[in-house]
Amino acid sequence: MIDFIKAYTSTKESLENKIKGYEDSETICSLDFGTGEIKYPCRRYYENIEVRITNISGIVRNSMHKYFNLKNGFGNNNYTDFYYPDLMTSFEQLQTDLNEDISDYKVTNLEFGLNIQTSLKPKTMLENNFLMFNFDEFNQKDTFKGKGMYKQYNRNEYYVKIYDKGLQFNLDYNLLRVEIKVTDGRLLKRKFGIETVRDIYDKDKLELMFNFLLECFDEVNIIDSLATREIRGEEKTVIELGKSPHYWREIKNSKSSTYYYDLRARYNKLLETYQLNTIKLELRDLLVAKFQSLIGDEDYGGE
């Protein structure tokens, strides 16, 4: 569920005194070589969590999932299942490490993601079936020279990222990760009611984040292979044309918005008719089941 977090406090003195109070050399500060004066920023790591002190604030950031695994002997990874009680434990452990209550720190960045085991290889699906986001090209995609596969779509306040988590960690099973990262604190507050770290403890707010992840997933254009379907010539041509974001861009630029959105609706209906949406439906069901398992709410049924 919750992975990367960035939270800050403008009342930084307590946190600053604590990370500067160690007698070891693991707290690192900038230095004015001319005067020898210690300057900002100062930083210290607790497992993978970075605590950074600037001249105006104290910042805590990084993956809570990885922190929990490192802290509890499960390795430096975030491919394991991260249950709600684990999330709560991770914050308790971090606050013990910091000797600081961070519950009232303001949250400015927050990542919510789920790992699901799939019947098909994620790399294959990403290459051949994850074609567009909302009938547009993905902004970013990479293979990491064969060591990973991801596609990402960026919007002003958040981005959506889907990638082969199993390939990233060289796992012997198929593992796909779907995540959203909200990069605007105003959106966190407005859409999910998340303003401080304490708000992340609220299951209802986590459910709102999951519903948003599902909404984003629903916007991904995932189309089954046409080779396994008996499709009439003209409709097969229409489906093939619709697999290209350039086609939809031309329609959007040359036709009315009503025509454009009606055509999209007809296209999606055509995919349903020929059952070219089975991969997407399977993955969506897996996301719902995974959230139910992690949050501990078997009554949740999705939107």
Side-chain angles (χ1 to χ4, degrees):
M1 290 190 295
I2 296 298
D3 195 28
F4 181 91
I5 179 175
K6 181 179 179 182
Y8 79 95
T9 177
S10 56
T11 309
K12 66 187 179 75
E13 288 76 13
S14 173
L15 188 62
E16 180 172 358
N17 290 336
K18 283 163 185 170
I19 76 162
K20 287 182 175 179
Y22 292 91
E23 295 182 357
D24 57 35
S25 59
E26 292 184 22
T27 297
I28 301 172
C29 297
S30 298
L31 183 70
D32 186 320
F33 287 100
T35 65
E37 180 185 359
I38 294 177
K39 301 179 72 67
Y40 297 109
C42 290
R43 70 179 184 276
R44 185 181 181 91
Y45 285 89
Y46 297 82
E47 305 297 349
N48 66 309
I49 298 293
E50 180 190 17
V51 176
R52 176 179 289 260
I53 306 296
T54 72
N55 61 324
I56 59 172
S57 65
I59 300 166
V60 176
R61 63 182 181 184
N62 221 322
S63 167
M64 293 302 298
H65 190 165
K66 284 187 177 181
Y67 171 78
F68 175 82
N69 281 350
L70 285 165
K71 190 74 178 172
N72 295 283
F74 303 128
N76 184 16
N77 69 77
N78 63 346
Y79 63 78
T80 59
D81 285 337
F82 191 40
Y83 294 91
Y84 177 78
D86 300 335
L87 174 66
M88 298 303 295
T89 297
S90 70
F91 279 111
E92 291 170 3
Q93 291 178 320
L94 179 59
Q95 292 181 130
T96 298
D97 278 353
L98 298 177
N99 191 24
E100 176 86 356
D101 184 356
I102 67 169
S103 298
D104 291 322
Y105 282 26
K106 303 289 186 182
V107 181
T108 60
N109 283 242
L110 194 60
E111 180 183 298
F112 185 101
L114 297 171
N115 303 321
I116 53 174
Q117 292 192 41
T118 58
S119 58
L120 299 175
K121 290 185 178 298
K123 182 176 184 291
T124 301
M125 289 189 289
L126 285 160
E127 288 175 338
N128 302 315
N129 306 108
F130 284 71
L131 303 181
M132 301 169 284
F133 185 90
N134 195 30
F135 293 88
D136 194 8
E137 288 183 281
F138 285 96
N139 303 112
Q140 296 173 232
K141 46 192 173 184
D142 201 347
T143 62
F144 300 107
K145 297 181 179 179
K147 296 182 179 180
M149 180 64 182
Y150 89 96
K151 289 186 175 180
Q152 180 172 311
Y153 194 83
N154 304 323
R155 285 184 166 156
N156 290 335
E157 299 167 312
Y158 64 93
Y159 65 72
V160 182
K161 184 176 178 181
I162 306 167
Y163 61 102
D164 190 336
K165 177 65 75 173
L167 191 59
Q168 180 189 18
F169 285 96
N170 196 30
L171 303 177
D172 60 1
Y173 54 90
N174 298 329
L175 196 66
L176 180 75
R177 182 168 178 84
V178 181
E179 67 184 34
I180 53 172
K181 184 172 182 180
V182 180
T183 56
D184 188 310
R186 291 168 298 182
L187 179 64
L188 284 170
K189 182 180 179 180
R190 182 177 73 250
K191 193 171 184 66
F192 312 110
I194 295 176
E195 184 175 10
T196 67
V197 170
R198 180 181 287 106
D199 294 322
I200 299 172
Y201 309 158
D202 187 335
K203 284 188 175 184
D204 290 338
K205 292 177 171 59
L206 294 178
E207 185 172 313
L208 290 174
M209 290 208 77
F210 172 67
N211 287 337
F212 184 58
L213 179 141
L214 268 191
E215 290 172 16
C216 292
F217 180 78
D218 288 341
E219 290 192 79
V220 182
N221 304 103
I222 306 170
I223 301 175
D224 293 12
S225 170
L226 272 65
T228 59
R229 300 288 187 274
E230 291 282 343
I231 304 175
R232 289 179 295 180
E234 182 180 344
E235 291 184 331
K236 186 173 183 179
T237 300
V238 170
I239 292 171
E240 287 285 10
L241 281 172
K243 292 166 68 175
S244 167
H246 306 291
Y247 169 78
W248 294 104
R249 188 177 303 119
E250 288 181 3
I251 296 295
K252 190 173 186 178
N253 291 336
S254 62
K255 302 291 185 179
S256 69
S257 60
T258 300
Y259 180 91
Y260 169 71
Y261 285 106
D262 283 349
L263 186 62
R264 286 185 13 165
R266 293 200 299 272
Y267 185 78
N268 283 332
K269 185 64 177 176
L270 198 58
L271 297 181
E272 291 179 20
T273 299
Y274 286 103
Q275 296 184 321
L276 292 168
N277 60 349
T278 63
I279 293 174
K280 184 170 186 175
L281 293 175
E282 177 187 346
L283 297 179
R284 196 182 196 278
D285 287 345
L286 289 171
L287 289 170
V288 172
K290 178 61 68 172
F291 178 71
Q292 288 176 341
S293 171
L294 297 182
I295 200 70
D297 183 4
E298 296 301 324
D299 294 329
Y300 179 81
E303 286 190 317

